[in-house]
Each structure stands twice: as C-alpha cells, then as structure tokens.
C-alpha cells in the first residue's frame, strides 16, 4: 500500500531522581514521515515535550512542526504547515499562612502557520496564591502579539485584513 504510508519513531524518558530536590524529569520526542502520491514537499512532522518537576521548581518545554504534506493514514491531523512552541518556568513558594504561591512565566509561546498566515507571540506572567481553605487568587499579566501576513476569508463575506495586532492584557481571578 503506497497511499499514506507512515514511518516514524517515538521515544519517552523518565527519571524521578534529578537534582538536589529529587525532581522528576519527563521527556518525549517523536518524528514521523509519510509517503502519499503527489504530496512530498514537507511530508514529515516532529516534536518534543519535556517537563521537570520538583517541590519548588517546574519547567516545561514543547515544540511541534507539522509539514504541509504530512498525511498519515491513521490518526487525526487538525492542521498542517504549522510550528508551535512553548517554554514555561514556575517557581513555587510555601510562606506561612498559604498552601503555596506559584509564579509562572511563559517565556516563549509561538504559533505560526502558513495556511492561515498567522504568527503569534504571547509572553505571560501568572501568579496564583492558594490558601489552606482552598480559596485562591490569581493574577495574569501578559502581552499578545499577532501578525496576519496576508488577508484571508475565514467565512464568506468576512475578510481579515493583514496587519499587526498587539497589546497588553491583565486578568484578576478570586
């Protein structure tokens, strides 16, 4: 069968004794290649995801690329011709009177696609304070940047014009 042949590999690593706090490291990486007649420009996809967790630190990294002609016979591919990635760090504090206070920083978050001509960059700072009662307060401060490189028509009669769309954002939750 030559239609939508898929070849690839997946690799997962886990270690629960990393660093001075005996943190846990999870790492997953994968790469797949497809063979579909008349579709061979970018017939591959790859990605990785890693997370480190300890009592006081958490770090997360994710990246994924799906080629324009990636076309597996099994599974569901929502969209092709994309790159997305995130780098996030969290510091946890345990002051008296609180269960935990977490400060999370999205150092890098990007979504780029050739199909919709959208580029997105969203750094954020996120602070959550949790009381022993379970009540919490959350503050999110961020900056959203999106650039639409070419006009497109998501639905009939509605045209999204090219340009840069950006601005600060802030949310409070109690």
């Amino acid at each position: 069968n030559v239609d939508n042949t898929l070849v690839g590999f997946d690799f997962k690593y886990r270690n629960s004794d990393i660093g001075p706090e005996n943190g846990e490291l999870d790492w997953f990486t994968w790469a797949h290649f497809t063979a579909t007649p008349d579709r061979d420009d970018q017939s591959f996809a790859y990605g990785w995801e890693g997370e480190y967790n300890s009592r006081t630190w958490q770090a997360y990294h994710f990246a994924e690329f799906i080629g324009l002609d990636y076309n597996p016979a099994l599974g569901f591919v929502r969209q092709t011709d994309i790159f997305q990635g995130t780098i996030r760090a969290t510091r946890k504090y345990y002051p008296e009177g609180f269960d935990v206070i977490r400060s999370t920083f999205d150092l890098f978050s990007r979504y780029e696609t050739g199909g919709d001509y959208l580029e997105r960059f969203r750094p954020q700072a996120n602070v959550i304070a949790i009381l022993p009662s379970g009540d919490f307060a959350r503050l999110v401060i961020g900056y959203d940047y999106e650039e639409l490189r070419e006009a497109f028509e998501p639905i009939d009669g509605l045209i999204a014009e090219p340009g840069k769309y950006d601005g600060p954002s802030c949310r409070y939750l109690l």
Side-chain angles (χ1 to χ4, degrees):
N1 182 5
V2 295
D3 292 341
N4 302 346
T5 302
L6 173 70
V7 175
F9 76 90
D10 294 39
F11 174 77
K12 178 145 179 118
Y13 173 78
R14 178 176 228 171
N15 187 330
S16 59
D17 190 17
I18 300 283
E21 296 181 350
N22 295 328
E24 186 174 279
L25 174 68
D26 282 309
W27 185 266
F28 177 69
T29 189
W30 58 274
H32 297 165
F33 304 90
T34 60
T36 304
D38 301 322
R39 296 180 75 174
D40 60 2
D41 184 33
Q42 290 182 350
S43 58
F44 56 91
Y46 60 87
W48 60 85
E49 183 173 27
E51 184 170 14
Y52 170 78
N53 233 330
S54 74
R55 185 175 186 281
T56 57
W57 284 101
Q58 181 180 16
Y60 175 79
H61 177 54
F62 164 80
E64 176 179 68
F65 173 80
I66 310 271
L68 178 64
D69 289 331
Y70 179 68
N71 187 29
L74 292 173
F76 172 71
V77 178
R78 200 177 44 221
Q79 182 178 4
T80 61
D81 196 18
I82 64 167
F83 168 80
Q84 55 186 338
T86 299
I87 299 174
R88 179 179 303 132
T90 300
R91 177 74 165 109
K92 302 172 205 168
Y93 305 92
Y94 299 89
E96 194 172 317
F98 290 88
D99 265 4
V100 64
I101 295 179
R102 291 191 308 251
S103 302
T104 300
F105 301 94
D106 283 342
L107 306 171
F108 174 82
S109 183
R110 184 177 187 136
Y111 181 81
E112 187 174 337
T113 176
D116 289 336
Y117 309 101
L118 177 68
E119 186 173 326
R120 181 180 294 154
F121 180 67
R122 288 185 162 161
Q124 268 188 4
N126 186 345
V127 178
I128 299 173
I130 302 174
L131 298 170
S133 65
D135 295 332
F136 72 93
R138 180 176 180 185
L139 170 65
V140 179
I141 299 171
Y143 187 82
D144 292 340
Y145 169 84
E146 293 182 349
E147 181 178 353
L148 188 59
R149 296 185 205 132
E150 294 181 24
F152 75 102
E153 192 170 359
I155 58 174
D156 289 339
L158 176 65
I159 297 175
E161 297 295 329
K164 295 181 180 180
Y165 304 90
D166 60 348
S169 62
C170 185
R171 294 182 299 168
Y172 309 95
L173 301 164
L174 295 174

